[in-house]
Amino acid sequence: MPFPRNPRPEILTSLKDALPVPFWMDDSQRPTPEPALTGRISTDLLIIGAGFTGLWTALLAMEMDSSRHVVLIEAEETGIGASGRNGGFVSASLTHGFENGLKYWPDELAKLTRMGQENLEAIQAAIQHYNIECDFRRDGELMLATETYQVKELRRLPKIAAPYGEKLVWLNQEETRSLVNSPLYLGGLYSPNGAAMVNPAQLTWGLKKACLDLGVQIYEHTPALSLKKAGGAIVVRTPYGQVQASKVALATNAFPPLVKSLSCYIVPVYDYVLVTEPLTTSQWASIGWQGRQGLADSNNQFHYYRTTLDGRILWGGYDAVYHRNNAVGKHLEVDYEVFGRLAEHFFLTFPQLSGLRFTHSFGGAIDTCSRFSPFWGLHSAGRVSYVLGFTGLGVGASRFGALVMLDLLDGKSTDRTALKMVKTKPVPFPPEPFRSMVIDLTRKSLEQADDHQGRRNLWLRLLDGLGLGFDS
Ligand SMILES: Cc1cc2nc3c(=O)[nH]c(=O)nc-3n(C[C@H](O)[C@H](O)[C@H](O)COP(=O)(O)OP(=O)(O)OC[C@H]3O[C@@H](n4cnc5c(N)ncnc54)[C@H](O)[C@@H]3O)c2cc1C
């Protein structure tokens, strides 16, 4: 049975106390932002944006060469972008999942899988090394089949993925429901090594502290207003000052890029999340969910969900909303229609939890590109590098993205820079109004496919043929 578009009116009472605030940022540990930059400074490396990408870039740059002077500027505060408001799935995949990797880079997928696992291990090692408390758990993830055609598709994957070094285990209905009990589950594909779960905001704050301890200068409430090449350097203007930098790493994700030509490659897509109040012991027993695995269903419009340290369920996904002209802004972080739909889908999945309330409802922008995986490049005669296009799976991949940016800025040839994935760019999106029209048609087609046992219409098959898509 496909998930309905409209919630039953009685479901909406579960949302009446929900704060429109990102759950992870609503934390007494949230640090006071560093002061804004005033005056003119110069540096070896300037990083713009303090989400995971910017923070890993700063940390890795200092670890590689502690004599390097590194400055990080952030428009608002650390973690305020996608990094402090996501599901907290730290995926090992660098390619937005195994199947997407197989579609685009079959020849290098074994290497990418290994690099992704190494990246996840390195994230874990850094969390231990810098003593970051962020509820990092490696219980894996479980992809759920809620329709019969999905059972067929998922159960063939362990055999296909094994030669690439990807361990996947098919669980039948009974095995799946013994882990988490929903009347919708028909089976599940368990990936024991595929992902860790983290409190993402706490990870950003821990990385910020590690950066400060290593000597990175961080300025918050300091948006970069413009970026210009001036002689042998780059000058970045901010409201009360400017930075002259030998090299610049752009880590601004779905926000308007400072290098304007990049805006054709990404669309900001809003993804929304609900978080419940803490469950009682009997509520937990009613769904039998004892582990800390991350869960997701396998529709085109999918839900992802997980538990929190204080016993809540975070429930997000399904709608991926694009606003004309690549619009971003605080006003788009709340969408009551989407919240109502998410609540309905939550109680369809877990009818045992009827009466449970949501305490937080929020959204954030994802930097979707047409191949769903990051891309890199250099600009301004090699002095500026960028990584973009994580498309909803950047919590883990951002560290890898940061390493590649540093390789590129330092002019190093590495295993990473040799990858086809790193050397190529996604197909750009068309300009408006065609961009909105194409995205709208694709969204509607994906919705129809979910309603009709996954059958893809002519438009989706055309996009498949061209290697293009739209996802969150
Ligand atoms: C609701 C939601 C759920 C998600 N769930 C998951 C998940 O479970 N797993 C997963 O892997 N991924 C998930 N993602 C995606 C993931 O959060 C991102 O891919 C990742 O956080 C990207 O990190 P980033 O540092 O590149 O971007 P961001 O965290 O967005 O950081 C960019 C920063 O740049 C700053 N900035 C922008 N412009 C300027 C400027 N001009 N000057 C200075 N600063 C600027 C912004 O303020 C922001 O802090 C999710 C995203 C959302 C929105």
Side-chain angles (χ1 to χ4, degrees):
M1 179 200 68
F3 285 98
R5 301 288 300 162
N6 297 316
R8 288 161 287 162
E10 66 270 23
I11 292 297
L12 301 178
T13 56
S14 64
L15 286 163
K16 72 184 170 67
D17 300 320
L19 294 174
V21 173
F23 168 72
W24 307 111
M25 299 296 281
D26 186 11
D27 183 333
S28 57
Q29 289 182 44
R30 183 171 174 170
T32 312
E34 296 300 302
L37 172 68
T38 54
R40 295 172 172 225
I41 58 169
S42 39
T43 187
D44 298 325
L45 174 63
L46 170 67
I47 297 154
I48 303 178
F52 287 127
T53 304
L55 292 160
W56 282 117
T57 309
L59 190 71
L60 291 162
M62 290 305 276
E63 285 181 348
M64 285 171 196
D65 177 2
S66 59
S67 68
R68 178 152 43 182
H69 188 264
V70 177
V71 170
L72 171 58
I73 62 172
E74 160 56 44
E76 289 188 46
E77 66 173 278
T78 297
I80 197 70
S83 298
R85 58 180 69 225
N86 56 66
F89 286 55
V90 194
S91 177
S93 176
L94 304 174
T95 60
H96 205 266
F98 169 77
E99 284 180 287
N100 197 53
L102 191 61
K103 175 171 164 187
Y104 287 102
W105 302 286
D107 299 343
E108 54 188 35
L109 188 54
K111 199 190 248 183
L112 285 165
T113 305
R114 176 179 52 75
M115 287 176 160
Q117 276 299 336
E118 287 167 1
N119 186 57
L120 182 56
E121 299 297 334
I123 291 172
Q124 180 167 4
I127 288 171
Q128 276 160 4
H129 178 74
Y130 293 105
N131 224 348
I132 300 174
E133 271 185 34
C134 57
D135 189 28
F136 184 84
R137 306 271 313 207
R138 290 201 64 172
D139 292 1
E141 67 181 337
L142 183 59
M143 168 92 73
L144 297 150
T146 56
E147 301 282 348
T148 41
Y149 77 93
Q150 294 166 2
V151 171
K152 259 198 226 153
E153 285 177 5
L154 292 184
R155 70 185 310 168
R156 70 191 169 92
L157 282 179
K159 213 166 164 189
I160 300 176
Y164 298 93
E166 185 82 52
K167 184 174 178 201
L168 299 171
V169 185
W170 171 252
L171 306 177
N172 65 26
Q173 183 177 65
E174 199 185 326
E175 289 163 332
T176 303
R177 291 190 188 186
S178 74
L179 291 177
V180 188
N181 189 10
S182 161
L184 302 190
Y185 298 165
L186 304 179
L189 191 64
Y190 182 50
S191 170
N193 309 320
M197 296 296 125
V198 76
N199 176 322
Q202 287 181 357
L203 178 55
T204 65
W205 301 330
L207 291 172
K208 171 183 163 180
K209 180 172 180 306
C211 286
L212 287 169
D213 290 348
L214 291 185
V216 176
Q217 267 175 253
I218 300 183
Y219 298 95
E220 294 177 83
H221 293 294
T222 302
L225 302 176
S226 64
L227 177 148
K228 271 199 195 118
K229 196 160 167 287
I234 301 292
V235 173
V236 170
R237 212 164 46 78
T238 67
Y240 308 129
Q242 73 170 42
V243 188
Q244 178 167 320
S246 308
K247 304 272 169 76
V248 176
L250 298 179
T252 56
N253 194 35
F255 296 90
L258 286 150
V259 173
K260 301 282 172 256
S261 54
L262 294 177
S263 48
C264 65
Y265 290 112
I266 54 157
V267 291
V269 169
Y270 276 81
D271 187 50
Y272 295 91
V273 178
L274 302 178
V275 177
T276 69
E277 61 190 339
L279 274 65
T280 62
T281 314
S282 64
Q283 283 169 328
W284 280 119
S286 73
I287 56 170
W289 190 355
Q290 286 171 359
R292 298 286 311 276
Q293 321 88 331
L295 309 185
D297 58 53
S298 33
N299 297 294
N300 289 306
Q301 293 187 287
F302 63 97
H303 306 91
Y304 54 88
Y305 39 121
R306 54 159 298 178
T307 59
T308 66
L309 187 60
D310 63 349
R312 302 162 189 264
I313 297 175
L314 174 149
W315 173 264
Y318 193 77
D319 281 290
V321 186
Y322 169 72
H323 298 273
R324 204 170 231 257
N325 290 322
N326 278 18
V328 289
K330 298 268 173 234
H331 61 295
L332 304 176
E333 292 169 6
V334 169
D335 187 324
Y336 296 108
E337 196 184 321
V338 173
F339 295 151
R341 199 151 36 238
L342 276 174
E344 172 69 45
H345 297 177
F346 178 84
F347 290 110
L348 277 176
T349 305
F350 294 128
Q352 308 95 308
L353 298 180
S354 165
L356 193 69
R357 299 285 169 92
F358 296 100
T359 56
H360 295 76
S361 53
F362 54 97
I366 278 171
D367 57 337
T368 291
C369 72
S370 62
R371 69 181 200 190
F372 311 155
S373 311
F375 60 93
W376 293 261
L378 285 168
H379 192 263
S380 303
R383 293 190 174 275
V384 176
S385 75
Y386 55 83
V387 57
L388 287 170
F390 294 105
T391 317
L393 215 58
V395 174
S398 51
R399 182 186 172 278
F400 182 83
L403 277 172
V404 176
M405 272 209 292
L406 290 170
D407 287 345
L408 294 175
L409 280 177
D410 293 344
K412 282 192 209 154
S413 295
T414 63
D415 273 5
R416 294 179 289 262
T417 57
L419 291 166
K420 211 194 273 176
M421 181 189 177
V422 170
K423 289 181 175 165
T424 55
K425 295 248 184 337
V427 175
F429 290 96
E432 295 286 12
F434 304 107
R435 181 175 295 198
S436 291
M437 285 155 62
V438 164
I439 291 175
D440 207 37
L441 178 59
T442 310
R443 275 193 62 195
K444 285 196 178 118
S445 302
L446 290 170
E447 200 177 302
Q448 268 175 22
D450 283 339
D451 289 349
H452 296 93
Q453 292 288 304
R455 277 192 294 279
R456 296 173 83 76
N457 65 14
L458 204 60
W459 173 248
L460 291 181
R461 278 184 274 139
L462 176 70
L463 291 183
D464 292 342
L466 295 170
L468 299 174
F470 177 74
D471 203 343
S472 64

